[in-house]
Amino acid sequence: MSHPLADAPRKSPRQEPVEPSVNGHKVPAAETEINQDAESKPRGPIRHGISLVLGSIGPTLVLAGFAAVFWYGHQNDWRIPKFAALTGDVEPVVDDWCEEHAVPESICVECDPTLMAKGPDYGWCSVHGVHNCTLDHPDVAQLKETPTVTVEDLERAARALAIAPRKENNSACEVYQSRIQFASIESVQQAGVDVELVERAPITESIVGNGEIIYDPTRQASMASRVPGSVWKVTKNVGDPVEVGEVLAVIDAAGVGEIKTALLRALAEQKLQQQNVSRLDTARAAIAGSRILDAKAALAKAQADVLAAEQSLRNLGLPAEVGELQGLLEQQVLDRLRLLGIPDELRAQLNSRTVTSNLLPIRSPIQGVVVQRSVSAGEVVDPTRILFQVADVRQMWLTLNIPLESSEQLAIGQPVEFRADGSREVVTGTLDWISTSADNTTRMLQVRTVLDNSDGRLRNETFGMGEVILRKESDAIVIPTGSSHWEGCCQVVFVRDKNYFASPDSYKVFHVRSVRLGAVNGDVTEIISGVLPGEVIATDGSDVLRAQLLKNNLGAGCDCVAE
């Protein structure tokens, strides 16, 4: 059964206009039209500005919130405060930190010197060039007991200052009065600071230069044939020892035979003219005096020819005893001259029937060793060609090239040590010559040392490094190399306080001490003055203390100029 209204006709969706209402009250249509007309009109500038301001309030508040968070994080190192701190239930934290010296202000000995009194201040030492000189005032040393400075220490310092120029400290510098403090032992370890003792060790100060060992030129000889010819026999080789006058080779030279023939003829002519003069002297009464004079003139000429030929042979190293030859027959003279100068051991190897008279032995003028041979049997030679070189290797020369700026420290008689490249053996000698001229290219000064080589261990043209020893100290005061620092005015080290470990509450302090450096020997450096053996200084990590020192004195340091 259908509803009575189900069959009622439905109205179209378009219905009559609904009258506007406000809070349930109807608004007249005319008024509505007026409001719509007003909204459709453009707004005024004042209302537009107010609208922009009201619209930007939200973003501005957000940016202000971010800025507040950033400021708070920066002020609190971005740490989130505890709830108790926000509610005000904890005591406020007191700032007890010295930014300048990087320790709690309550224990900062630099800010409050009454916490740890400074030692005596003796000021500048003009003799040794340091402040609070430990050699003159050993009580400044950071040791439990005052050490004793010996006369040897003072003399050693005087030698070190006299032997060479040293880098100087500035007398106006006041950095030595500073102290570097750490909050605890742990902070020292965290900074990587290590310490070592000031010790005693042998030290050598020298001038170093590269050098070369060579043959002594005054004990070296070069040999050549004095006349052109060909090599008949070679008797010595490289490395063979030779004595003075020993034969190295034999040359077959036609010029030698000609000189021997000239001597033989001169001797025969001299003999003939001597007989002629004797015969004329016997018959002097019956012979004109002019003939006697002519005979004597001829005899004198023959004698001169003999002397000339003899001298020519001597010039070739063939001494002919003319006095012995004059009493011999011509064949005997010829036999004597044929093998003149040839030693007996070589004569035994010759065939007397076929041997020539042109043989010229090459002899060594010195005792030594054959160091060079440049000839073989059968070669044609002349006086311009060097055949052998012999050197007396029992004595060698060492030449060193020394920087010109070190020339004032050199003196004849100073010890010299040389180590060849790749060798562990040290060769010693004495400086015996200093060049008067510097090399125009390298600006180096050459010096020379004579080396003993009686054992034959040295070799010619050996390169290496040499040292001219200025001084040797057997008991010098040394510190590890690199543990001292140039802070702009002075060379300083950092000395640990003697009460560093006296108690857990002891102040962890390092004292700044100016020092004067001497010779550097590898891992250790000589201290002329400034610290004493037994004191403890910062070594590895001491750059941390230097950085803190420079920071503490920034803008308030001495008036000296950094180098």
Side-chain angles (χ1 to χ4, degrees), residues 240-277:
D240 291 343
V242 295
E243 299 294 331
V244 177
E246 192 168 356
V247 175
L248 306 179
V250 179
I251 307 298
D252 187 345
V256 175
E258 294 175 357
I259 296 174
K260 290 179 180 179
T261 302
L263 177 59
L264 184 61
R265 289 175 179 175
L267 287 172
E269 181 68 19
Q270 179 185 4
K271 183 177 181 180
L272 177 61
Q273 294 300 330
Q274 183 68 49
Q275 291 174 352
N276 189 28
V277 169

Short mmCIF file of all heavy atoms in Angstrom, two decimals, residues 240-277:
data_model
loop_
_atom_site.label_atom_id
_atom_site.label_comp_id
_atom_site.label_asym_id
_atom_site.label_seq_id
_atom_site.Cartn_x
_atom_site.Cartn_y
_atom_site.Cartn_z
N ASP A 240 151.63 -4.05 -11.43
CA ASP A 240 152.93 -4.61 -11.04
C ASP A 240 153.73 -3.59 -10.24
O ASP A 240 153.82 -2.42 -10.62
CB ASP A 240 153.73 -5.01 -12.28
CG ASP A 240 153.13 -6.20 -13.00
OD1 ASP A 240 152.31 -6.90 -12.37
OD2 ASP A 240 153.47 -6.42 -14.18
N PRO A 241 154.30 -4.01 -9.14
CA PRO A 241 155.18 -3.10 -8.40
C PRO A 241 156.52 -2.94 -9.13
O PRO A 241 157.00 -3.88 -9.78
CB PRO A 241 155.36 -3.80 -7.05
CG PRO A 241 155.15 -5.26 -7.36
CD PRO A 241 154.16 -5.31 -8.48
N VAL A 242 157.08 -1.77 -9.03
CA VAL A 242 158.36 -1.50 -9.69
C VAL A 242 159.27 -0.77 -8.72
O VAL A 242 158.81 -0.05 -7.82
CB VAL A 242 158.18 -0.67 -10.98
CG1 VAL A 242 157.41 -1.45 -12.02
CG2 VAL A 242 157.49 0.65 -10.68
N GLU A 243 160.57 -0.97 -8.92
CA GLU A 243 161.57 -0.27 -8.15
C GLU A 243 162.19 0.83 -9.00
O GLU A 243 161.97 0.89 -10.23
CB GLU A 243 162.66 -1.24 -7.68
CG GLU A 243 162.16 -2.36 -6.78
CD GLU A 243 161.64 -1.84 -5.44
OE1 GLU A 243 162.13 -0.79 -4.98
OE2 GLU A 243 160.74 -2.50 -4.87
N VAL A 244 162.95 1.68 -8.36
CA VAL A 244 163.62 2.76 -9.09
C VAL A 244 164.59 2.16 -10.11
O VAL A 244 165.42 1.31 -9.77
CB VAL A 244 164.36 3.70 -8.13
CG1 VAL A 244 165.11 4.77 -8.90
CG2 VAL A 244 163.39 4.33 -7.15
N GLY A 245 164.46 2.57 -11.39
CA GLY A 245 165.36 2.09 -12.44
C GLY A 245 164.94 0.79 -13.07
O GLY A 245 165.61 0.31 -14.01
N GLU A 246 163.86 0.20 -12.65
CA GLU A 246 163.43 -1.07 -13.22
C GLU A 246 162.86 -0.83 -14.62
O GLU A 246 162.15 0.14 -14.88
CB GLU A 246 162.40 -1.74 -12.32
CG GLU A 246 162.13 -3.19 -12.69
CD GLU A 246 161.33 -3.91 -11.62
OE1 GLU A 246 161.07 -3.30 -10.56
OE2 GLU A 246 160.98 -5.08 -11.84
N VAL A 247 163.16 -1.80 -15.55
CA VAL A 247 162.76 -1.65 -16.95
C VAL A 247 161.29 -2.04 -17.10
O VAL A 247 160.86 -3.11 -16.65
CB VAL A 247 163.64 -2.52 -17.85
CG1 VAL A 247 163.15 -2.47 -19.30
CG2 VAL A 247 165.08 -2.06 -17.78
N LEU A 248 160.53 -1.17 -17.78
CA LEU A 248 159.12 -1.42 -18.06
C LEU A 248 158.91 -1.94 -19.47
O LEU A 248 158.01 -2.74 -19.72
CB LEU A 248 158.30 -0.14 -17.87
CG LEU A 248 158.45 0.57 -16.52
CD1 LEU A 248 157.60 1.84 -16.51
CD2 LEU A 248 158.06 -0.34 -15.38
N ALA A 249 159.73 -1.45 -20.39
CA ALA A 249 159.61 -1.87 -21.79
C ALA A 249 160.94 -1.56 -22.49
O ALA A 249 161.77 -0.81 -21.97
CB ALA A 249 158.44 -1.16 -22.47
N VAL A 250 161.11 -2.13 -23.68
CA VAL A 250 162.31 -1.89 -24.49
C VAL A 250 161.86 -1.42 -25.86
O VAL A 250 161.00 -2.07 -26.50
CB VAL A 250 163.19 -3.15 -24.60
CG1 VAL A 250 164.42 -2.87 -25.47
CG2 VAL A 250 163.62 -3.63 -23.22
N ILE A 251 162.43 -0.30 -26.32
CA ILE A 251 162.08 0.29 -27.61
C ILE A 251 163.21 0.05 -28.60
O ILE A 251 164.39 0.20 -28.27
CB ILE A 251 161.82 1.80 -27.46
CG1 ILE A 251 160.78 2.06 -26.36
CG2 ILE A 251 161.37 2.41 -28.77
CD1 ILE A 251 159.42 1.46 -26.63
N ASP A 252 162.83 -0.29 -29.82
CA ASP A 252 163.80 -0.42 -30.91
C ASP A 252 163.77 0.88 -31.69
O ASP A 252 162.85 1.14 -32.47
CB ASP A 252 163.41 -1.60 -31.81
CG ASP A 252 164.49 -1.89 -32.86
OD1 ASP A 252 165.37 -1.02 -33.07
OD2 ASP A 252 164.43 -2.97 -33.46
N ALA A 253 164.81 1.74 -31.47
CA ALA A 253 164.85 3.06 -32.08
C ALA A 253 166.14 3.22 -32.88
O ALA A 253 167.25 3.07 -32.34
CB ALA A 253 164.76 4.13 -31.01
N ALA A 254 165.98 3.55 -34.15
CA ALA A 254 167.15 3.71 -35.02
C ALA A 254 168.03 4.85 -34.55
O ALA A 254 169.26 4.80 -34.72
CB ALA A 254 166.69 3.95 -36.46
N GLY A 255 167.44 5.86 -33.94
CA GLY A 255 168.21 6.99 -33.46
C GLY A 255 169.21 6.59 -32.40
O GLY A 255 170.29 7.19 -32.27
N VAL A 256 168.87 5.57 -31.62
CA VAL A 256 169.78 5.10 -30.57
C VAL A 256 171.02 4.47 -31.21
O VAL A 256 172.17 4.70 -30.79
CB VAL A 256 169.07 4.10 -29.64
CG1 VAL A 256 170.04 3.52 -28.63
CG2 VAL A 256 167.90 4.76 -28.94
N GLY A 257 170.79 3.66 -32.24
CA GLY A 257 171.92 3.05 -32.93
C GLY A 257 172.82 4.09 -33.56
O GLY A 257 174.06 3.93 -33.57
N GLU A 258 172.24 5.16 -34.11
CA GLU A 258 173.04 6.22 -34.72
C GLU A 258 173.92 6.92 -33.70
O GLU A 258 175.09 7.25 -33.98
CB GLU A 258 172.13 7.21 -35.41
CG GLU A 258 171.38 6.62 -36.61
CD GLU A 258 170.39 7.61 -37.18
OE1 GLU A 258 170.25 8.72 -36.61
OE2 GLU A 258 169.72 7.27 -38.18
N ILE A 259 173.40 7.14 -32.51
CA ILE A 259 174.19 7.80 -31.47
C ILE A 259 175.34 6.89 -31.02
O ILE A 259 176.48 7.34 -30.80
CB ILE A 259 173.29 8.20 -30.28
CG1 ILE A 259 172.26 9.23 -30.72
CG2 ILE A 259 174.13 8.75 -29.14
CD1 ILE A 259 171.24 9.57 -29.64
N LYS A 260 175.05 5.61 -30.89
CA LYS A 260 176.10 4.67 -30.50
C LYS A 260 177.20 4.63 -31.58
O LYS A 260 178.41 4.58 -31.27
CB LYS A 260 175.51 3.27 -30.30
CG LYS A 260 174.63 3.15 -29.07
CD LYS A 260 174.07 1.74 -28.96
CE LYS A 260 173.18 1.61 -27.73
NZ LYS A 260 172.60 0.26 -27.60
N THR A 261 176.78 4.66 -32.85
CA THR A 261 177.75 4.68 -33.95
C THR A 261 178.58 5.95 -33.91
O THR A 261 179.81 5.93 -34.14
CB THR A 261 177.03 4.55 -35.29
OG1 THR A 261 176.27 3.34 -35.31
CG2 THR A 261 178.01 4.56 -36.45
N ALA A 262 177.91 7.07 -33.62
CA ALA A 262 178.64 8.35 -33.54
C ALA A 262 179.66 8.31 -32.42
O ALA A 262 180.79 8.84 -32.56
CB ALA A 262 177.64 9.48 -33.34
N LEU A 263 179.32 7.69 -31.32
CA LEU A 263 180.27 7.58 -30.21
C LEU A 263 181.45 6.69 -30.60
O LEU A 263 182.61 6.99 -30.28
CB LEU A 263 179.58 7.03 -28.97
CG LEU A 263 180.48 6.80 -27.74
CD1 LEU A 263 181.16 8.11 -27.31
CD2 LEU A 263 179.70 6.19 -26.59
N LEU A 264 181.11 5.58 -31.27
CA LEU A 264 182.18 4.66 -31.69
C LEU A 264 183.15 5.37 -32.64
O LEU A 264 184.38 5.25 -32.52
CB LEU A 264 181.55 3.45 -32.36
CG LEU A 264 182.50 2.32 -32.79
CD1 LEU A 264 183.22 1.75 -31.56
CD2 LEU A 264 181.73 1.22 -33.52
N ARG A 265 182.64 6.14 -33.58
CA ARG A 265 183.49 6.88 -34.51
C ARG A 265 184.30 7.96 -33.79
O ARG A 265 185.49 8.17 -34.09
CB ARG A 265 182.63 7.51 -35.59
CG ARG A 265 182.05 6.51 -36.57
CD ARG A 265 181.12 7.20 -37.55
NE ARG A 265 180.57 6.25 -38.50
CZ ARG A 265 179.65 6.58 -39.41
NH1 ARG A 265 179.19 7.83 -39.49
NH2 ARG A 265 179.19 5.66 -40.25
N ALA A 266 183.63 8.65 -32.86
CA ALA A 266 184.33 9.71 -32.13
C ALA A 266 185.47 9.15 -31.30
O ALA A 266 186.55 9.75 -31.19
CB ALA A 266 183.33 10.46 -31.25
N LEU A 267 185.24 7.96 -30.73
CA LEU A 267 186.31 7.33 -29.95
C LEU A 267 187.48 6.93 -30.85
O LEU A 267 188.66 7.10 -30.48
CB LEU A 267 185.76 6.10 -29.22
CG LEU A 267 184.84 6.36 -28.03
CD1 LEU A 267 184.22 5.06 -27.53
CD2 LEU A 267 185.61 7.05 -26.92
N ALA A 268 187.18 6.40 -32.04
CA ALA A 268 188.25 6.02 -32.97
C ALA A 268 189.02 7.26 -33.44
O ALA A 268 190.27 7.25 -33.52
CB ALA A 268 187.66 5.27 -34.15
N GLU A 269 188.26 8.33 -33.74
CA GLU A 269 188.91 9.55 -34.19
C GLU A 269 189.77 10.15 -33.09
O GLU A 269 190.88 10.65 -33.33
CB GLU A 269 187.85 10.55 -34.67
CG GLU A 269 188.40 11.87 -35.17
CD GLU A 269 189.18 11.70 -36.48
OE1 GLU A 269 189.01 10.67 -37.18
OE2 GLU A 269 189.99 12.60 -36.81
N GLN A 270 189.26 10.12 -31.88
CA GLN A 270 190.02 10.65 -30.75
C GLN A 270 191.31 9.86 -30.56
O GLN A 270 192.40 10.44 -30.32
CB GLN A 270 189.18 10.59 -29.47
CG GLN A 270 189.92 11.11 -28.24
CD GLN A 270 189.08 10.93 -26.97
OE1 GLN A 270 188.01 10.37 -27.01
NE2 GLN A 270 189.61 11.39 -25.87
N LYS A 271 191.22 8.55 -30.69
CA LYS A 271 192.41 7.70 -30.54
C LYS A 271 193.44 8.03 -31.62
O LYS A 271 194.66 8.13 -31.36
CB LYS A 271 192.00 6.24 -30.61
CG LYS A 271 193.16 5.26 -30.38
CD LYS A 271 192.63 3.83 -30.40
CE LYS A 271 193.76 2.85 -30.15
NZ LYS A 271 193.29 1.45 -30.15
N LEU A 272 192.94 8.21 -32.85
CA LEU A 272 193.84 8.52 -33.96
C LEU A 272 194.52 9.88 -33.77
O LEU A 272 195.75 10.01 -33.95
CB LEU A 272 193.07 8.49 -35.27
CG LEU A 272 193.84 8.88 -36.53
CD1 LEU A 272 195.01 7.91 -36.76
CD2 LEU A 272 192.91 8.93 -37.73
N GLN A 273 193.75 10.89 -33.38
CA GLN A 273 194.32 12.22 -33.21
C GLN A 273 195.27 12.26 -32.01
O GLN A 273 196.26 13.00 -32.01
CB GLN A 273 193.19 13.25 -33.01
CG GLN A 273 192.31 13.44 -34.24
CD GLN A 273 193.10 13.92 -35.44
OE1 GLN A 273 194.13 14.64 -35.32
NE2 GLN A 273 192.65 13.54 -36.63
N GLN A 274 194.97 11.45 -31.01
CA GLN A 274 195.88 11.38 -29.86
C GLN A 274 197.24 10.80 -30.29
O GLN A 274 198.31 11.30 -29.87
CB GLN A 274 195.26 10.52 -28.75
CG GLN A 274 196.11 10.45 -27.50
CD GLN A 274 196.18 11.78 -26.78
OE1 GLN A 274 195.14 12.41 -26.56
NE2 GLN A 274 197.38 12.24 -26.44
N GLN A 275 197.21 9.79 -31.12
CA GLN A 275 198.46 9.20 -31.62
C GLN A 275 199.22 10.20 -32.50
O GLN A 275 200.46 10.29 -32.45
CB GLN A 275 198.15 7.94 -32.41
CG GLN A 275 197.64 6.79 -31.55
CD GLN A 275 197.22 5.60 -32.38
OE1 GLN A 275 197.17 5.67 -33.63
NE2 GLN A 275 196.89 4.51 -31.69
N ASN A 276 198.49 10.97 -33.31
CA ASN A 276 199.10 11.96 -34.19
C ASN A 276 199.79 13.04 -33.39
O ASN A 276 200.93 13.46 -33.70
CB ASN A 276 198.05 12.53 -35.13
CG ASN A 276 198.67 13.39 -36.22
OD1 ASN A 276 199.84 13.18 -36.62
ND2 ASN A 276 197.91 14.37 -36.71
N VAL A 277 199.16 13.51 -32.36
CA VAL A 277 199.75 14.56 -31.52
C VAL A 277 200.98 14.02 -30.81
O VAL A 277 202.03 14.72 -30.72
CB VAL A 277 198.72 15.11 -30.52
CG1 VAL A 277 199.38 16.00 -29.48
CG2 VAL A 277 197.61 15.86 -31.24
#
